[in-house]
Amino acid sequence: MDVLSTDKTGTLTQGKIVLEKHLDAHGDESEKVLQYGYINSFHHTGLKNLLDEAILAHESWENA
C-alpha cells in the first residue's frame, strides 16, 4: 500500500466509519481496490477494527 487516506469524522460521535470511495493509486475509482480490501477484511484473523467493518458493510456487498 502506498497511500491510505481516511477521515475519521463520525468515529467518536457515531462510533463507526463509512466507506465512501475506493480509489487506486491514480485517484480513479477501482472495484479491484474494493475487492482486495474486502478479502483482507473478511479473512482478517485478529480483532476487526472500524475500517474492516466499514469495508464489510459497504453498499456494494449488500447488492451483490
Side-chain angles (χ1 to χ4, degrees):
M1 178 184 308
D2 292 328
V3 176
L4 171 63
S5 186
T6 63
D7 176 359
K8 293 180 53 158
T9 302
T11 304
L12 294 176
T13 57
Q14 298 177 14
K16 69 177 186 174
I17 296 174
V18 176
L19 175 63
E20 291 186 7
K21 294 183 183 179
H22 37 90
L23 309 175
D24 65 16
H26 302 288
D28 300 320
E29 289 233 7
S30 171
E31 289 300 314
K32 189 160 288 274
V33 168
L34 182 59
Q35 289 171 350
Y36 287 146
Y38 181 87
I39 290 168
N40 181 70
S41 294
F42 184 83
H43 293 287
H44 189 91
T45 57
L47 294 173
K48 294 208 184 315
N49 60 45
L50 292 175
L51 190 54
D52 290 319
E53 291 176 13
I55 292 169
L56 295 172
H58 189 268
E59 63 190 27
S60 290
W61 309 120
E62 295 171 5
N63 299 322

